[in-house]
C-alpha cells in the first residue's frame, strides 16, 4: 500500500466534492478511481467531509487496496488510539482483572506520525521507536508499548479486531479499535 496521509488539507469546491463522493460510492467504478476520489475527500479542509469519506468509503468499498488506504488515513487522522478490551467468559481470572483494572479501555496519545514509515509513535515526539509505536501494514496494525504487544486486522465490520498481550502474567485479551 502506498502511504498517503495528508500533508496538508485543501478546500474542495462543492461540485468537486460531489463528484469525488459519487466516484467513491460507485460500486462499478475502477478501484483506483475510487482510491483517488477517497484521497481527495480525506484531505479536504472540512473535517466533516474527511470523516464522511472514511465512514462511507468503508461501507461502500470491498476492494482491499481502497479499504487498506481508508484504514491508513483514518488512523493518521487520530490524535489518540482507544483499545476496547473484551475478555470472553472463558478468559482467565487474571485477564478479567486486568480488563477491569483499566475499565476495559486502554488509550494511547499519538506523539508523532510518520506516513512514510506507516508509523504512529506513542512516546517520542519526533521519531518512531519500535518499542513504543503502532505500525500499519496493509490491513494489519501492530502495537508495541513498554512490553505490551497487540495485533489487529481490518474487519468486515469496518473496525480493527485483534488482541493485546499485556506485559505480565496475562494472556491474549481480545480487543477492538474503532476507526471512527
Amino acid at each position: 500500500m502506498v502511504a498517503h496521509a495528508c500533508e496538508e488539507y485543501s478546500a474542495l469546491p462543492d461540485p468537486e466534492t460531489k463528484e469525488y463522493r459519487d466516484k467513491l460510492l460507485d460500486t462499478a467504478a475502477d478501484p483506483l478511481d475510487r482510491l483517488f476520489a477517497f484521497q481527495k475527500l480525506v484531505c479536504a479542509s472540512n473535517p466533516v467531509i474527511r470523516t464522511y469519506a472514511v465512514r462511507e468509503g468503508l461501507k461502500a468499498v470491498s476492494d482491499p487496496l481502497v479499504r487498506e488506504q481508508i484504514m491508513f488515513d483514518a488512523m493518521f487522522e487520530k490524535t489518540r488510539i482507544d483499545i476496547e478490551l473484551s475478555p470472553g467468559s472463558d478468559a482467565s481470572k487474571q485477564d478479567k482483572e486486568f480488563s477491569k483494572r483499566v475499565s476495559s479501555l486502554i488509550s494511547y496519545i499519538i506523539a508523532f506520525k510518520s506516513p512514510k514509515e506507516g508509523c504512529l509513535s506513542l512516546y517520542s515526539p519526533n521519531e518512531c521507536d519500535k518499542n513504543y509505536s503502532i505500525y500499519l501494514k496493509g490491513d494489519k496494525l501492530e502495537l508495541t508499548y513498554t512490553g505490551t504487544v497487540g495485533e489487529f486486522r481490518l474487519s468486515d465490520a469496518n473496525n480493527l479486531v485483534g488482541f493485546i498481550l499485556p506485559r505480565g502474567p496475562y494472556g491474549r485479551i481480545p480487543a477492538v479499535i474503532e476507526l471512527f
Side-chain angles (χ1 to χ4, degrees):
M1 173 179 68
V2 176
H4 184 261
C6 308
E7 291 185 23
E8 62 182 48
Y9 299 115
S10 59
L12 286 177
D14 292 346
E16 282 185 42
T17 301
K18 289 178 181 179
E19 181 183 329
Y20 293 131
R21 180 216 45 211
D22 292 346
K23 185 60 70 177
L24 176 64
L25 302 180
D26 181 358
T27 57
D30 180 272
L32 287 177
D33 289 336
R34 293 175 89 178
L35 174 65
F36 300 146
F38 168 75
Q39 289 175 327
K40 289 292 190 181
L41 292 170
V42 82
C43 291
S45 57
N46 183 332
V48 174
I49 296 297
R50 294 193 305 263
T51 301
Y52 175 85
V54 169
R55 186 180 55 244
E56 296 305 312
L58 280 174
K59 285 182 191 175
V61 175
S62 61
D63 182 79
L65 173 68
V66 183
R67 288 178 55 77
E68 290 168 14
Q69 186 65 56
I70 293 171
M71 179 191 93
F72 185 92
D73 284 311
M75 292 302 294
F76 273 83
E77 279 288 310
K78 292 183 174 288
T79 57
R80 183 183 80 221
I81 304 296
D82 294 326
I83 302 173
E84 301 171 34
L85 306 179
S86 56
S89 58
D90 59 341
S92 73
K93 181 179 176 182
Q94 291 144 321
D95 291 355
K96 288 178 184 176
E97 287 173 2
F98 175 84
S99 183
K100 185 177 179 180
R101 188 174 68 233
V102 299
S103 300
S104 297
L105 184 70
I106 298 174
S107 292
Y108 297 107
I109 300 297
I110 298 171
F112 173 77
K113 300 173 184 181
S114 173
K116 184 177 180 181
E117 296 177 79
C119 174
L120 303 168
S121 172
L122 304 175
Y123 179 73
S124 174
N126 53 18
E127 68 177 351
C128 286
D129 177 325
K130 65 179 179 166
N131 296 309
Y132 300 94
S133 294
I134 291 173
Y135 286 92
L136 301 168
K137 301 173 181 181
D139 70 344
K140 183 176 169 184
L141 178 149
E142 295 174 348
L143 172 137
T144 303
Y145 190 81
T146 62
T148 294
V149 296
E151 187 174 299
F152 298 82
R153 289 208 181 269
L154 181 59
S155 75
D156 291 338
N158 300 324
N159 54 16
L160 297 165
V161 176
F163 69 89
I164 66 154
L165 180 58
R167 183 176 59 176
Y170 307 105
R172 291 166 46 136
I173 300 173
V176 172
I177 298 172
E178 297 296 337
L179 288 176
F180 49 87

mmCIF file of all heavy atoms in Angstrom, residues 1-7 69 72-73 76 112-120 128 136:
data_model
loop_
_atom_site.group_PDB
_atom_site.id
_atom_site.type_symbol
_atom_site.label_atom_id
_atom_site.label_comp_id
_atom_site.label_asym_id
_atom_site.label_seq_id
_atom_site.Cartn_x
_atom_site.Cartn_y
_atom_site.Cartn_z
ATOM 1 N N MET A 1 0.842 -1.176 0.000
ATOM 2 C CA MET A 1 0.000 0.000 0.000
ATOM 3 C C MET A 1 0.881 1.232 0.000
ATOM 4 O O MET A 1 1.858 1.307 0.719
ATOM 5 C CB MET A 1 -0.895 -0.012 1.237
ATOM 6 C CG MET A 1 -1.677 1.256 1.403
ATOM 7 S SD MET A 1 -2.759 1.235 2.826
ATOM 8 C CE MET A 1 -1.598 1.251 4.140
ATOM 9 N N VAL A 2 0.526 2.211 -0.768
ATOM 10 C CA VAL A 2 1.250 3.465 -0.807
ATOM 11 C C VAL A 2 0.749 4.336 0.336
ATOM 12 O O VAL A 2 -0.446 4.540 0.495
ATOM 13 C CB VAL A 2 1.015 4.179 -2.156
ATOM 14 C CG1 VAL A 2 1.674 5.528 -2.164
ATOM 15 C CG2 VAL A 2 1.513 3.318 -3.299
ATOM 16 N N ALA A 3 1.689 4.840 1.142
ATOM 17 C CA ALA A 3 1.317 5.720 2.237
ATOM 18 C C ALA A 3 0.768 7.014 1.667
ATOM 19 O O ALA A 3 1.254 7.512 0.674
ATOM 20 C CB ALA A 3 2.525 5.998 3.108
ATOM 21 N N HIS A 4 -0.251 7.554 2.300
ATOM 22 C CA HIS A 4 -0.807 8.804 1.800
ATOM 23 C C HIS A 4 -0.958 9.827 2.898
ATOM 24 O O HIS A 4 -0.452 10.908 2.755
ATOM 25 C CB HIS A 4 -2.151 8.576 1.106
ATOM 26 C CG HIS A 4 -2.678 9.832 0.508
ATOM 27 N ND1 HIS A 4 -3.629 10.596 1.120
ATOM 28 C CD2 HIS A 4 -2.354 10.476 -0.626
ATOM 29 C CE1 HIS A 4 -3.892 11.647 0.359
ATOM 30 N NE2 HIS A 4 -3.126 11.594 -0.708
ATOM 31 N N ALA A 5 -1.612 9.570 3.958
ATOM 32 C CA ALA A 5 -1.965 10.548 4.974
ATOM 33 C C ALA A 5 -1.629 11.977 4.548
ATOM 34 O O ALA A 5 -0.523 12.265 4.137
ATOM 35 C CB ALA A 5 -1.297 10.214 6.290
ATOM 36 N N CYS A 6 -2.577 12.821 4.630
ATOM 37 C CA CYS A 6 -2.489 14.177 4.083
ATOM 38 C C CYS A 6 -1.349 14.991 4.681
ATOM 39 O O CYS A 6 -1.211 15.062 5.890
ATOM 40 C CB CYS A 6 -3.793 14.909 4.362
ATOM 41 S SG CYS A 6 -5.230 14.009 3.839
ATOM 42 N N GLU A 7 -0.586 15.601 3.815
ATOM 43 C CA GLU A 7 0.440 16.533 4.270
ATOM 44 C C GLU A 7 -0.186 17.891 4.542
ATOM 45 O O GLU A 7 0.289 18.634 5.387
ATOM 46 C CB GLU A 7 1.560 16.628 3.243
ATOM 47 C CG GLU A 7 2.363 15.341 3.175
ATOM 48 C CD GLU A 7 3.548 15.439 2.245
ATOM 49 O OE1 GLU A 7 4.022 16.556 1.989
ATOM 50 O OE2 GLU A 7 3.994 14.377 1.795
ATOM 51 N N GLN A 69 -6.241 1.643 2.323
ATOM 52 C CA GLN A 69 -5.900 3.068 2.285
ATOM 53 C C GLN A 69 -6.825 3.866 3.201
ATOM 54 O O GLN A 69 -6.382 4.770 3.896
ATOM 55 C CB GLN A 69 -5.977 3.616 0.861
ATOM 56 C CG GLN A 69 -5.487 5.054 0.756
ATOM 57 C CD GLN A 69 -4.009 5.185 1.080
ATOM 58 O OE1 GLN A 69 -3.184 4.529 0.475
ATOM 59 N NE2 GLN A 69 -3.681 6.023 2.041
ATOM 60 N N PHE A 72 -5.664 3.275 6.692
ATOM 61 C CA PHE A 72 -4.423 4.009 6.908
ATOM 62 C C PHE A 72 -4.723 5.482 7.206
ATOM 63 O O PHE A 72 -4.270 6.036 8.211
ATOM 64 C CB PHE A 72 -3.534 3.874 5.664
ATOM 65 C CG PHE A 72 -2.171 4.477 5.804
ATOM 66 C CD1 PHE A 72 -1.107 3.703 6.239
ATOM 67 C CD2 PHE A 72 -1.937 5.801 5.475
ATOM 68 C CE1 PHE A 72 0.166 4.255 6.361
ATOM 69 C CE2 PHE A 72 -0.677 6.355 5.596
ATOM 70 C CZ PHE A 72 0.380 5.579 6.043
ATOM 71 N N ASP A 73 -5.495 6.107 6.345
ATOM 72 C CA ASP A 73 -5.786 7.524 6.534
ATOM 73 C C ASP A 73 -6.633 7.777 7.780
ATOM 74 O O ASP A 73 -6.442 8.785 8.460
ATOM 75 C CB ASP A 73 -6.444 8.106 5.287
ATOM 76 C CG ASP A 73 -5.430 8.337 4.172
ATOM 77 O OD1 ASP A 73 -4.380 8.941 4.438
ATOM 78 O OD2 ASP A 73 -5.684 7.900 3.040
ATOM 79 N N PHE A 76 -4.333 7.823 10.688
ATOM 80 C CA PHE A 76 -3.488 9.013 10.729
ATOM 81 C C PHE A 76 -4.270 10.282 11.047
ATOM 82 O O PHE A 76 -3.676 11.311 11.352
ATOM 83 C CB PHE A 76 -2.674 9.155 9.437
ATOM 84 C CG PHE A 76 -1.388 8.390 9.511
ATOM 85 C CD1 PHE A 76 -1.357 7.033 9.241
ATOM 86 C CD2 PHE A 76 -0.217 9.011 9.903
ATOM 87 C CE1 PHE A 76 -0.189 6.307 9.351
ATOM 88 C CE2 PHE A 76 0.967 8.302 10.017
ATOM 89 C CZ PHE A 76 0.988 6.940 9.738
ATOM 90 N N PHE A 112 3.656 11.360 17.525
ATOM 91 C CA PHE A 112 4.330 11.639 16.258
ATOM 92 C C PHE A 112 3.748 10.711 15.201
ATOM 93 O O PHE A 112 3.397 9.564 15.499
ATOM 94 C CB PHE A 112 5.837 11.391 16.411
ATOM 95 C CG PHE A 112 6.629 11.472 15.146
ATOM 96 C CD1 PHE A 112 6.964 12.693 14.574
ATOM 97 C CD2 PHE A 112 7.065 10.316 14.513
ATOM 98 C CE1 PHE A 112 7.708 12.764 13.408
ATOM 99 C CE2 PHE A 112 7.813 10.372 13.343
ATOM 100 C CZ PHE A 112 8.139 11.603 12.790
ATOM 101 N N LYS A 113 3.660 11.203 13.972
ATOM 102 C CA LYS A 113 3.129 10.405 12.862
ATOM 103 C C LYS A 113 4.125 10.403 11.714
ATOM 104 O O LYS A 113 4.606 11.458 11.313
ATOM 105 C CB LYS A 113 1.807 10.994 12.371
ATOM 106 C CG LYS A 113 0.735 11.050 13.433
ATOM 107 C CD LYS A 113 -0.497 11.788 12.943
ATOM 108 C CE LYS A 113 -1.528 11.921 14.047
ATOM 109 N NZ LYS A 113 -2.734 12.611 13.596
ATOM 110 N N SER A 114 4.402 9.221 11.176
ATOM 111 C CA SER A 114 5.261 9.099 10.003
ATOM 112 C C SER A 114 4.545 8.270 8.943
ATOM 113 O O SER A 114 4.630 7.036 8.955
ATOM 114 C CB SER A 114 6.597 8.435 10.365
ATOM 115 O OG SER A 114 7.346 8.186 9.193
ATOM 116 N N PRO A 115 3.826 8.934 8.031
ATOM 117 C CA PRO A 115 3.147 8.191 6.968
ATOM 118 C C PRO A 115 4.122 7.372 6.123
ATOM 119 O O PRO A 115 3.791 6.272 5.685
ATOM 120 C CB PRO A 115 2.478 9.278 6.131
ATOM 121 C CG PRO A 115 2.365 10.450 7.033
ATOM 122 C CD PRO A 115 3.541 10.361 7.964
ATOM 123 N N LYS A 116 5.317 7.896 5.908
ATOM 124 C CA LYS A 116 6.312 7.192 5.096
ATOM 125 C C LYS A 116 6.658 5.833 5.707
ATOM 126 O O LYS A 116 6.813 4.841 5.005
ATOM 127 C CB LYS A 116 7.571 8.049 4.964
ATOM 128 C CG LYS A 116 8.626 7.451 4.073
ATOM 129 C CD LYS A 116 9.805 8.385 3.931
ATOM 130 C CE LYS A 116 10.866 7.769 3.038
ATOM 131 N NZ LYS A 116 12.030 8.648 2.912
ATOM 132 N N GLU A 117 6.775 5.785 7.030
ATOM 133 C CA GLU A 117 7.082 4.535 7.726
ATOM 134 C C GLU A 117 5.821 3.750 8.086
ATOM 135 O O GLU A 117 5.914 2.619 8.562
ATOM 136 C CB GLU A 117 7.846 4.817 9.024
ATOM 137 C CG GLU A 117 9.200 5.446 8.844
ATOM 138 C CD GLU A 117 9.842 5.763 10.177
ATOM 139 O OE1 GLU A 117 10.380 4.824 10.808
ATOM 140 O OE2 GLU A 117 9.779 6.933 10.596
ATOM 141 N N GLY A 118 4.646 4.366 7.925
ATOM 142 C CA GLY A 118 3.402 3.724 8.348
ATOM 143 C C GLY A 118 3.366 3.581 9.859
ATOM 144 O O GLY A 118 2.905 2.577 10.379
ATOM 145 N N CYS A 119 3.847 4.616 10.545
ATOM 146 C CA CYS A 119 4.053 4.500 11.984
ATOM 147 C C CYS A 119 3.394 5.642 12.753
ATOM 148 O O CYS A 119 3.446 6.798 12.327
ATOM 149 C CB CYS A 119 5.555 4.510 12.250
ATOM 150 S SG CYS A 119 5.953 4.543 13.989
ATOM 151 N N LEU A 120 2.827 5.294 13.887
ATOM 152 C CA LEU A 120 2.308 6.248 14.863
ATOM 153 C C LEU A 120 3.095 6.045 16.145
ATOM 154 O O LEU A 120 3.041 4.972 16.748
ATOM 155 C CB LEU A 120 0.820 5.996 15.121
ATOM 156 C CG LEU A 120 -0.097 6.047 13.904
ATOM 157 C CD1 LEU A 120 -1.474 5.500 14.253
ATOM 158 C CD2 LEU A 120 -0.189 7.455 13.370
ATOM 159 N N CYS A 128 9.753 7.352 15.365
ATOM 160 C CA CYS A 128 9.092 6.103 15.750
ATOM 161 C C CYS A 128 10.133 5.178 16.364
ATOM 162 O O CYS A 128 11.133 4.863 15.728
ATOM 163 C CB CYS A 128 8.455 5.434 14.533
ATOM 164 S SG CYS A 128 6.970 6.277 13.985
ATOM 165 N N LEU A 136 1.393 0.284 10.725
ATOM 166 C CA LEU A 136 0.317 -0.129 9.842
ATOM 167 C C LEU A 136 0.924 -0.819 8.632
ATOM 168 O O LEU A 136 1.810 -0.269 7.985
ATOM 169 C CB LEU A 136 -0.497 1.078 9.399
ATOM 170 C CG LEU A 136 -1.125 1.861 10.551
ATOM 171 C CD1 LEU A 136 -1.662 3.183 10.059
ATOM 172 C CD2 LEU A 136 -2.205 1.055 11.212
#
